[in-house]
Amino acid sequence: MQYMLLIYGDEHALNETERQECYEESTQLAHRLKSAGQYVAANPLHPTTMATSVQVRGGKRLVTDGPFAETREQLGGYFLVEAKNLDEALDIAARIPMARKGTVEVRPVIEIPGLPAE
Amino acid sequence: MSDGTIKQVSEVVDEIYRSESRQVLATLIRLLGDFDTAEEALHEAFAVAVDQWSRDGVPANPRAWLVSTGRFKAIDGMRRRARFDASLVELAKQLESQFSTSHVEEREDEIVEDDRLRLIFTCCHPALSSEAQIAMTLREICGLTTEEIACAFLTKPSTVAQRIVRAKAKIREARIPYEVPSEKELPDRLDAVLRVMYLVFNEGYSASLGESLTRHDLSSEAIRLGRLLIELLPEPEALGLLALMLLHDSRRKTRTSPSGELVLLEDQDRSLWNREQITEGLSLVQQAISRGVVGSYTLQAAIAAIHAQASRSVETDWTQIIGLYDLLMQVEPSPVIELNRAVAVAMRDGPLVGLSLIDAILARGDLQNYHLVHAARADLCRRLERTAEARVSYERALSLTKQDPERRFLHRRLTELR
């Protein structure tokens, strides 16, 4: 069984120093999980100002700036994908079946050095 | 070197800045991979130009010269900063190796047109908010200053500046590509570009009812953008939108009286309509229609074209206009288009028929808070001499509109009701 652990928090809560400390501590945790055979993937995300939302309705793609902000719908899954730029990521997002019913939020992942290789 | 020659060179540089700076910027963004770096490089290249051209003369191909100088300056700057920031070392090397392997003059000149399209599509990318798309388009493609944009949109320069900073950050961090979209994506992406242009145009066009001069310069800016777009990408709807903007703009001077009062289409002095813009608009509508699939901008332009062709209001071919509205309802059904169609029907078949169509829209619950539906209804009631009903609708329209010339117009009509 795999679990996705979703990290919620005020994106302005940490200053730059605290953010770096958080990255380091998280990287250490990831290594401990890796040696315990419990690690799949982990990454911080760029803030919501970098988010783009995709919906497909009637076969037509609707792309909007900003994060998904509808409280009546809840996070129901995720894909972690490799894409050469935002357009390619949006193409993939539009192919996700739930894009036709709900919304897929596309957020660039921050690559921090030192995380375990999969 | 005499003062006279230096002055001459700086005039030449100014002129080249006006005609070439956006194209040079568009190419530098592609070569350097970043808006801010490219802008800085652009300004450095022009600074060098003032100096060097007064000494050595203006180069044969100033655009290519500016691109390679800008690029050289950017790499140079990166190498200098690399002493403090190791991450720049690789980037500088990478840019440099591209630099030495390309034959600057010919190759860069070939692809420059494509670069301007890249710039247009990136500034109007749907992952940017509508306000950001407009600000980026006016700043990066049209070369307006932040202050000019703020003034035109009646906002603070700091607000516009922040929108631009955020948009550039998103382009960089989320990797919005600097590319012309694939054929499959093109229709949707072109829609976004056309929408930005039309918003800019309308912002200027509605401001031309009275207010400040700077604001209605936006219409000219939108038309200039439209011309650039059809030169680079002559898609039918791009032709249609340019035609629509030209045909509307041709009536700009006659929409208000010298004292600033609103003048309705039927009362405008048609001899003052801009013939040059009408001729260009009509020919663009023809071109757009001849391509087969007719979109909503083209249909709206075709309607404007019929008005433009009637030398007097009574000569308007309402049957053809109604037919075009019917097509428009198929392409893009909306209650506003339905309302416009109803007004055209009233012109052809009489106010009573038009009124029943408008009342049907209102009965459905649509457009309740749209001032023009009530103004149109009031006008038809007035023509039918249903004074009491007309008064109620004029008052409703008045309560829903904020624009001064429109308010004064409605007031005038109200007092005329006796």
Side-chain angles (χ1 to χ4, degrees), chain A residues 57-95:
Chain A
R57 297 292 183 269
K60 211 170 152 49
R61 188 200 298 185
L62 309 163
V63 174
T64 46
D65 176 43
F68 173 69
E70 180 63 69
T71 48
R72 280 181 300 118
E73 294 173 11
Q74 293 79 34
L75 191 72
Y78 83 104
F79 276 81
L80 191 60
V81 300
E82 185 64 49
K84 97 172 175 293
N85 56 40
L86 184 64
D87 281 359
E88 209 176 282
L90 294 175
D91 273 343
I92 300 170
R95 280 155 57 198

Side-chain angles (χ1 to χ4, degrees), chain A residues 46 49-52 60-61 63-66 83-87 90-91 108, chain B residues 125-129 166 169-170 173-177 179 184-185 188-189 191:
Chain A
H46 277 288
T49 48
M50 297 299 147
T52 306
K60 211 170 152 49
R61 188 200 298 185
V63 174
T64 46
D65 176 43
K84 97 172 175 293
N85 56 40
L86 184 64
D87 281 359
L90 294 175
D91 273 343
Chain B
H125 197 283
L128 301 174
S129 70
R166 281 196 186 144
K170 185 158 185 190
E173 303 294 341
R175 289 207 204 156
I176 292 179
E179 276 171 16
K184 188 181 115 230
E185 303 294 330
D188 275 356
R189 294 290 305 278
D191 273 356

Side-chain angles (χ1 to χ4, degrees), chain A:
Chain A
M1 188 79 191
Q2 287 194 347
Y3 293 91
M4 179 166 197
L5 311 183
L6 303 160
I7 305 155
Y8 287 95
D10 179 354
E11 55 193 20
H12 304 293
L14 304 184
N15 65 32
E16 200 43 48
T17 321
E18 288 167 332
R19 188 186 309 283
Q20 286 311 321
E21 284 165 8
C22 176
Y23 286 172
E24 279 161 32
E25 197 184 330
S26 304
T27 305
Q28 288 162 16
L29 171 64
H31 278 282
R32 284 199 297 277
L33 295 171
K34 171 86 174 170
S35 23
Q38 293 170 304
Y39 180 81
V40 182
N43 277 108
L45 298 180
H46 277 288
T48 48
T49 48
M50 297 299 147
T52 306
S53 294
V54 184
Q55 297 181 329
V56 176
R57 297 292 183 269
K60 211 170 152 49
R61 188 200 298 185
L62 309 163
V63 174
T64 46
D65 176 43
F68 173 69
E70 180 63 69
T71 48
R72 280 181 300 118
E73 294 173 11
Q74 293 79 34
L75 191 72
Y78 83 104
F79 276 81
L80 191 60
V81 300
E82 185 64 49
K84 97 172 175 293
N85 56 40
L86 184 64
D87 281 359
E88 209 176 282
L90 294 175
D91 273 343
I92 300 170
R95 280 155 57 198
I96 295 175
M98 270 305 286
R100 300 194 293 267
K101 294 243 180 235
T103 305
V104 178
E105 183 181 316
V106 179
R107 294 270 292 279
V109 160
I110 296 175
E111 307 210 354
I112 56 173
L115 283 169
E118 224 188 298

Side-chain angles (χ1 to χ4, degrees), chain B residues 204 244 371 375:
Chain B
L244 178 62
H371 70 279

